Each structure stands twice: as C-alpha cells, then as structure tokens.
Amino acid sequence: MSQGLRFAVAFSIGLGGAIPATAFAGDVYMAANGSDANDGGSAQRPVATLAAAVQVAAARSARTGEDMTVQIAPGIYRGQTLALDDKRMRGRLTLAGTSSKADSYPAFYGNGTGTFLRYDGSAGRDTGLTVRNLRIVDYATAITLNGNRNDAHAFNRGTTISGNIFARIGTDTTKGLGKSTAAVRLVNSHDNVIENNWFKTIRNYPVTACAGLHAMYVAHGSSGNRIVGNTIEDFCGSAVKLRDSSDNNVIDSNTFRTTDRTTGIEEWFCDLGKSEECTKKSGECPSTGNLARGNRFDGIDQLRRVNIRGTRKPRPWCDAAIYDRPRISASETTD
C-alpha cells in the first residue's frame, strides 16, 4: 500500500470524532488517472485500483457499519484483480461504473489469465456485494463466488451481478494455460441475482478445449439463484450449466445466441457410481426444481436448448425424495 493510502486508512480508524466528513460519505471514488496515494473521498481525489478502493471502503465500514459504494469512472483499467471474503466488510459493498451507457462503462482488461473478482465466503450469510455497469475483458474467469462444496451449510448468498459486459472470457491452452470453466461461477452460493448482463465470446482456444467453458456455472449446492434477462452470445460450452444439487434456480427471459453445436441450459452431475474421475468424495446428486421460461434460442436446435444429462437411477448417497421432482421444468421458450 502507498504511504498516502496507509495514512488515509490509519486516519479514518484512529481519530474518532476528529475524522473529516468525507471519510464516512459512503462513497469511494476511483479513476484511471487516479492515485492510490489519494484518499478516494471525492471525484477530485480518486484512487486508481480496486484493491485500494476496497481497502478504504473496508476501513470505513469497519468503523461505522455503513454501506459503501466504489464509484468507478469511465476509462481503461489494466491488469487488476480483486479478492474479497466474508470478513472484510460490516456493511454492503457495491462496485459500480458511474455511467449507465454501455459504451462508456469502465473497462477492466486482463491478459487472458486469472480471475477478475473472487469472493470466498462459507459462513452462511449474505455477501453484501453488488457488481454493476462494468466491462470485464480478457480474463480466464470474470467472477467466482465460492462457498464450500463439501459442506451444504458452508455457503454464501445474496450477490447481485447486474448490467455488466463480460467479453473474451476464457484461456488459450496453446500457451500452456489450463482450461477455464466459467465466466461467472457459483459454488455453494445461494439467492444471487445475475441479470441484464451481456456475455460475448466465452471461449477457450483451440476449439477442442472449448466445450467445458460455461457462461454461467451454477454448481455444488448453488440454489435459489435468479438468472434473468441476460444475453449470451458466441459460446461453445453450455451457456448455463447446473451441477450437483443446485436446486430451485430460475432461468428467465435470457437470449442464447451461437453458431456452435452446443447447449443453452444443461443439468449434469458427476456420477460416482459410473466414473472414477469424480472428485467429490461424498458423491454428487442431480439438481431439481429448476425453472427455465421465456428464454430465446438463436442458432440452437430444439434438442439442445434444455438438456438433462446423467442417470435418472437413484443413487444411495442422494436423498431419495429428489427423484420425484423434475430436474428442469422448461416452458415458453422462443425462437
């Protein structure tokens, strides 16, 4: 951390009633021409990185419990990543572009590797996190929300991902990089809202490495999520993949558009009874109670629009009652 930022954080934590009014304004300002030596307290004193902005926001929130918004000005931001967890903020945290026009969203560019935003939380409570109006380009993964896949009670919940652009997400395996599996990944993450985002060119390279990359990967007990009004264009894995006890998700009014022979919405689990490659020792189970409605499929044939894979034979490690429930109820799909 820069000396100026250390001073700003220490000042806000340590001086009690002497803290200037700007310290608790609820907003932290960020700009491409900013400096992490600034305090981020106004648009005239912006910080330059998400890491610095969140540090300032966390210090203020720890003192007051206040909800914080990082106001991100239009511009190009290169090589930034952010790691969050369930211990840093007392109030809610919003990361927001200040422009509502997509052509002037703040644009975060990676180098084809890594994850733009990773959240780790397994305490079974709300993340308090909102991400909106950002352009995220050239990362292996855009956003991942991670609970504990081996403990159903160790989840996170309540993130909103809204109005963003995710473009050129994936890896080039010819450069020795591992295969990316998701643009937005949920692992034991509940009750999130993923709405009105645009996913464009979600691909690993070459094409032989591409099929396992999904625009939205809803996995390992990720239940009660709402995936609404998104556009997913130019993808080669399933656009939405449900896996392993990810129940009661609503996939509503999305547009899926691709020329690849791939699936719009897929439900699957790794069957421990059939494969030695399953890595979850307790075994995975089907996802049930999911609803797909009002979705539009362009360039995807009827049989690939909603695809349920894996055995329907009950497995002893799964609750027998789930086999009486539909895995995906699909209705009102359009061409």
Side-chain angles (χ1 to χ4, degrees):
M1 187 195 311
S2 69
Q3 184 175 354
L5 182 58
R6 285 195 202 94
F7 177 78
V9 173
F11 189 78
S12 68
I13 293 175
L15 296 185
I19 298 174
T22 55
F24 295 146
D27 290 324
V28 178
Y29 293 86
M30 178 176 165
N33 63 352
S35 169
D36 287 354
N38 292 334
D39 65 7
S42 74
Q44 290 70 48
R45 302 190 306 278
V47 297
T49 66
L50 284 169
V54 170
Q55 184 144 4
V56 172
R60 297 179 189 174
S61 177
R63 178 65 179 253
T64 66
E66 188 175 13
D67 294 347
M68 301 297 300
T69 297
V70 178
Q71 301 277 6
I72 308 171
I76 295 176
Y77 302 80
R78 297 192 182 277
Q80 297 201 27
T81 61
L82 182 63
L84 300 172
D85 58 48
D86 56 7
K87 302 176 180 64
R88 296 189 68 178
M89 300 291 298
R90 283 182 59 197
R92 300 182 63 84
L93 174 66
T94 297
L95 308 176
T98 57
S99 175
S100 59
K101 296 181 178 180
D103 59 0
S104 57
Y105 282 1
F108 291 87
Y109 283 86
N111 63 359
T113 68
T115 299
F116 170 71
L117 172 59
R118 177 187 177 106
Y119 182 93
D120 290 300
S122 55
R125 61 175 181 258
D126 287 353
T127 68
L129 179 63
T130 294
V131 182
R132 69 168 183 258
N133 296 359
L134 306 182
R135 183 188 301 267
I136 300 167
V137 185
D138 290 334
Y139 288 84
T141 299
I143 298 174
T144 184
L145 307 175
N146 296 330
N148 184 340
R149 74 169 188 163
N150 295 307
D151 181 353
H153 301 288
F155 60 87
N156 60 70
R157 68 186 177 203
T159 294
T160 296
I161 300 170
S162 178
N164 302 285
I165 298 171
F166 304 109
R168 299 200 304 264
I169 303 298
T171 52
D172 186 345
T173 62
T174 66
K175 297 179 179 180
L177 302 172
K179 297 178 184 179
S180 176
T181 60
V184 173
R185 178 190 295 108
L186 311 181
V187 175
N188 200 4
S189 188
H190 300 181
D191 303 322
N192 305 295
V193 176
I194 304 172
E195 64 179 359
N196 301 327
N197 303 284
W198 184 38
F199 295 79
K200 170 67 173 176
T201 309
I202 311 301
R203 290 182 173 275
N204 291 329
Y205 295 92
V207 68
T208 53
C210 197
L213 171 58
H214 314 290
M216 287 166 275
Y217 194 14
V218 183
H220 305 301
S222 293
S223 298
N225 299 291
R226 292 181 51 81
I227 298 171
V228 180
N230 303 282
T231 297
I232 307 94
E233 183 174 359
D234 188 25
F235 57 94
C236 51
S238 301
V240 179
K241 183 164 184 175
L242 305 165
R243 175 176 177 178
D244 183 27
S245 302
S246 294
D247 304 330
N248 303 317
N249 298 288
V250 175
I251 305 165
D252 187 4
S253 302
N254 303 282
T255 297
F256 304 99
R257 185 180 298 124
T258 187
T259 58
D260 293 79
R261 287 182 58 78
T262 188
T263 301
I265 302 166
E266 176 187 0
E267 188 273 332
W268 175 82
F269 68 101
C270 192
D271 188 352
L272 193 62
K274 288 188 174 183
S275 174
E276 295 180 355
E277 297 182 358
C278 299
T279 58
K280 188 174 180 180
K281 293 181 180 179
S282 60
E284 298 185 15
C285 297
S287 301
T288 63
N290 296 290
L291 176 62
R293 66 187 178 196
N295 298 292
R296 181 183 179 92
F297 297 88
D298 294 336
I300 303 176
D301 65 52
Q302 187 73 41
L303 295 178
R304 294 176 180 269
R305 294 177 179 182
V306 179
N307 191 8
I308 297 172
R309 295 177 52 212
T311 183
R312 289 167 171 76
K313 179 180 178 181
R315 294 303 187 191
W317 54 85
C318 301
D319 184 350
I322 68 173
Y323 293 94
D324 295 326
R325 302 180 65 201
R327 286 156 77 166
I328 302 177
S329 297
S331 64
E332 303 176 31
T333 58
T334 61
D335 293 313

